[in-house]
Amino acid sequence: MKRTKIVDIFAPELIGNQVSVKGWVRTRRGNKNVQFVALNDGSTIKNIQIVFDMEKFSDEQLKPITTGASIHVIGQLVESMGKGQSAEIQAEQLEVYGTADPDSYPLQKKGHTFEFLREKAHLRPRTNTFGAVFRIRHHMAIAIHQFFHEHGFFYFHTPIITASDCEGAGQMFQVTTKNLYDLKKDENGSIIYDDDFFGKQASLTVSGQLEGELAATALGSIYTFGPTFRAENSNTPRHLAEFWMIEPEVAFADLNDLMDLEEEFIKYCIRWALDNCKDDLEFLNNMVDKGLIERLEKVIDTEFVRLPYTQGIKILEEAIAAGKKFEFPVYWGCDLASEHERYLVEEHFNKPVIMTDYPAEIKAFYMKQNADGKTVQGTDVLFPQIGEIIGGSVREENYDKLMKRIEELNIPMKDMWWYLDTRRFGTVPHAGFGLGFERLLLFVTGMTNIRDVIPFPRTPNNAEF
Ligand code: 4AD
Ligand code: MG
């Protein structure tokens, strides 16, 4: 008999039919006459209740049905008398696939802390909260592809192993097949890579942007969606060493086009979550963050503030003058700390903010230089609770200006010749951004630690599972 997924079982026309369900036991309760099992198969946050009439089943048969056990039940789907569910199954046949010894199965009925569950990342998808989070993660990935597909962007695959450093922040993980116990060095003590796998030093990418620009200046509008890696030793609730990034890149786009795209894209994704993840969002709204759905609805109805950095600094300085205390100093040229970003977003404007025109010194080499000689056309999208969710910019398309910046920053040219060719041959204005997928998921799920929105987080001192 064909299995019915629990997500499909509540269809009214199935009532009265014989059904076959398979899943993992969440709970069992009852008395000597009747036993109730809540079964979940991961297809939905909802459980199906299975009713065992103890005249038809023995205690011995039901003994292995403990929390975490996997079973197969065939029975009649009937309307439920009980509260909280529309249908239940009157069990006729039971097959136990696998038991889960209550003395050692870690996910018992009582709620566990997210910290505890991080240690059990191999099993936590079986909990309500992580089931909901990972289903939403799937739906958000679909939303992203759908948005770009609808808008005529091509999905372009950029390499994961690279010999160039896009962000120039020196946070790359090396990729090598060299024997680390026996490294060949030159007279200055530098490692010689000639005999390494790629014949040069190679790393895991921090961003697909540079290759994305090559594609945008050929296909017009592209996006990447893949894993990126940063060896930054920041043990915060918002940083991962391995995270997924979405990077659209658009030829002929200027700063306003860029900001419009950022805002439209992020609103589309949030609207998608509200439309497609209703049950999971309602669960998270009840159990994790009571303000979640309201916050999501508010963001899609709000026009984001567009704020030049210089004006942002002025607002922060005025706040300080009026008595506001920050841990880190504020001055023109400073890299804003998350407390500053959150003040602007959560207290001053109470809206998402797209900050623009940052000092060149605190941004990457590729950003388009403004006529003032001091600022560049970079944009960060700042979100309540999250801080920076998107980083993007208009790109410097002028060969001479870009070269000058590369020289000022001592970026090794030999790795960049191919990038510079886009500026030598048919250069065009273009712009793009990077959205941290897990930061978006933090916002959409209401979870507060980035380790809890990716199945197997990679952070300093943690590569388990
Ligand atoms: O601001 P970032 O460093 O920008 C870039 O990498 C550009 N090349 C993107 C582009 O213009 N194509 O990173 C982009 C976004 C950040 O806004 C943040 O959401 C996320 O990536 N991000 C991280 N997410 C989790 N863990 C980390 N360690 C992250 N670092 C950046
Ligand atoms: Mg950034």
Side-chain angles (χ1 to χ4, degrees):
M1 185 178 179
K2 201 168 174 299
R3 165 191 172 217
T4 305
K5 285 192 183 180
I6 294 173
V7 68
D8 299 323
I9 213 142
F10 300 99
E13 63 272 18
L14 283 186
I15 295 281
N17 286 15
Q18 203 190 39
V19 293
S20 157
V21 291
K22 302 178 178 186
W24 294 269
V25 172
R26 283 296 164 78
T27 58
R28 172 157 74 94
R29 64 186 173 82
N31 53 44
K32 62 183 190 328
N33 301 321
V34 59
Q35 290 276 315
F36 300 99
V37 170
L39 193 71
N40 188 281
D41 69 1
S43 63
T44 163
I45 188 92
K46 290 183 186 154
N47 300 329
I48 182 77
Q49 172 159 283
I50 304 188
V51 185
F52 288 90
D53 178 348
M54 294 310 283
E55 282 185 0
K56 293 189 203 145
F57 291 88
S58 67
D59 286 345
E60 202 52 36
Q61 267 179 298
L62 262 67
K63 212 167 143 214
I65 305 190
T66 57
T67 299
S70 47
I71 62 172
H72 173 200
V73 172
I74 294 177
Q76 208 189 27
L77 190 72
V78 297
E79 252 173 84
S80 176
M81 299 294 136
K83 269 209 314 228
Q85 73 251 338
S86 55
E88 62 191 21
I89 295 171
Q90 298 281 357
E92 290 155 15
Q93 293 171 43
L94 166 68
E95 178 187 2
V96 176
Y97 288 126
T99 57
D101 181 358
D103 292 331
S104 46
Y105 184 60
L107 307 179
Q108 294 303 326
K109 228 195 301 185
K110 69 177 169 69
H112 297 292
T113 64
F114 295 150
E115 288 77 13
F116 172 84
L117 291 171
R118 251 170 251 150
E119 310 276 305
K120 311 279 179 242
H122 59 310
L123 293 172
R124 67 179 181 169
R126 293 194 196 175
T127 64
N128 283 330
T129 300
F130 287 93
V133 167
F134 296 139
R135 277 187 298 271
I136 292 173
R137 190 177 164 107
H138 157 81
H139 282 288
M140 287 294 94
I142 299 295
I144 286 158
H145 287 300
Q146 186 67 26
F147 175 88
F148 287 121
H149 184 65
E150 277 174 14
H151 288 74
F153 285 63
F154 298 109
Y155 181 27
F156 191 77
H157 293 107
T158 52
I160 288 174
I161 299 174
T162 174
S164 55
D165 180 358
C166 173
E167 291 305 296
Q171 299 167 327
M172 304 185 81
F173 289 101
Q174 277 197 49
V175 176
T176 181
T177 52
K178 280 176 96 65
N179 177 357
L180 298 180
Y181 295 102
D182 182 22
L183 291 173
K184 240 179 31 189
K185 295 186 183 163
D186 64 14
E187 60 272 22
N188 304 320
S190 300
I191 297 167
I192 299 171
Y193 286 96
D194 299 2
D195 61 342
D196 201 354
F197 189 91
F198 297 107
K200 54 161 89 171
Q201 191 175 2
S203 307
L204 295 177
T205 189
V206 296
S207 158
Q209 177 196 322
L210 302 186
E211 292 88 353
E213 287 185 51
L214 307 181
T217 53
L219 304 179
S221 302
I222 65 93
Y223 70 106
T224 73
F225 186 177
T228 46
F229 306 86
R230 301 215 179 160
E232 52 193 340
N233 204 351
S234 34
N235 234 321
T236 81
R238 285 189 295 275
H239 288 88
L240 291 164
E242 175 181 293
F243 64 99
W244 287 67
M245 186 149 57
I246 296 97
E247 297 186 90
E249 193 70 35
V250 190
F252 315 112
D254 64 13
L255 184 61
N256 280 320
D257 298 328
L258 175 67
M259 291 190 287
D260 289 346
L261 180 67
E262 290 169 342
E263 184 165 345
E264 190 190 350
F265 170 60
I266 220 161
K267 285 178 170 172
Y268 181 99
C269 292
I270 293 168
R271 149 87 37 227
W272 186 281
L274 287 165
D275 289 346
N276 293 279
C277 309
K278 204 162 171 292
D279 292 343
D280 287 324
L281 285 179
E282 272 170 11
F283 174 83
L284 294 171
N285 194 77
N286 288 336
M287 303 303 286
V288 175
D289 178 349
K290 296 269 187 263
L292 175 62
I293 291 179
E294 199 186 312
R295 200 161 57 243
L296 298 182
E297 281 169 347
K298 194 175 146 208
V299 162
I300 52 182
D301 289 335
T302 306
E303 207 176 307
F304 296 3
V305 175
R306 298 181 179 191
L307 180 74
Y309 169 93
T310 302
Q311 230 170 295
I313 293 292
K314 229 169 106 201
I315 293 170
L316 291 167
E317 283 172 345
E318 282 165 12
I320 292 168
K324 175 81 194 168
K325 296 261 179 288
F326 292 114
E327 189 185 337
F328 296 100
V330 173
Y331 53 92
W332 196 94
C334 76
D335 205 353
L336 294 183
S338 114
E339 56 173 344
H340 306 134
E341 296 175 343
R342 293 186 67 161
Y343 172 80
L344 291 170
V345 173
E346 290 166 25
E347 292 181 51
H348 187 81
F349 290 109
N350 195 21
K351 282 179 189 184
V353 171
I354 308 182
M355 191 173 266
T356 65
D357 301 291
Y358 284 85
E361 298 317 312
I362 58 170
K363 288 291 180 192
F365 73 95
Y366 51 70
M367 294 195 183
K368 186 174 175 67
Q369 298 156 29
N370 279 323
D372 63 12
K374 292 192 303 193
T375 59
V376 290
Q377 294 186 11
T379 65
D380 276 4
V381 180
L382 310 177
F383 251 50
Q385 325 267 350
I386 311 295
E388 179 190 337
I389 195 164
I390 281 180
S393 77
V394 182
R395 317 308 187 189
E396 182 53 71
E397 87 277 14
N398 178 287
Y399 180 86
D400 295 331
K401 286 186 184 170
L402 184 62
M403 263 314 278
K404 193 164 158 269
R405 195 73 191 124
I406 286 176
E407 278 162 11
E408 278 169 11
L409 294 171
N410 275 321
I411 295 170
M413 269 299 300
K414 67 175 182 358
D415 298 331
M416 284 292 170
W417 62 271
W418 47 271
Y419 182 69
L420 288 162
D421 268 5
T422 55
R423 276 62 169 176
R424 288 177 64 210
F425 307 120
T427 189
V428 291
H430 61 288
F433 67 80
L435 168 84
F437 189 43
E438 288 76 18
R439 300 242 176 122
L440 173 68
L441 286 169
L442 280 177
F443 187 73
V444 169
T445 61
M447 302 294 281
T448 51
N449 193 313
I450 200 160
R451 292 164 180 79
D452 297 333
V453 294
I454 187 164
F456 304 106
R458 299 292 179 246
T459 51
N461 293 316
N462 180 31
E464 195 68 38
F465 308 108

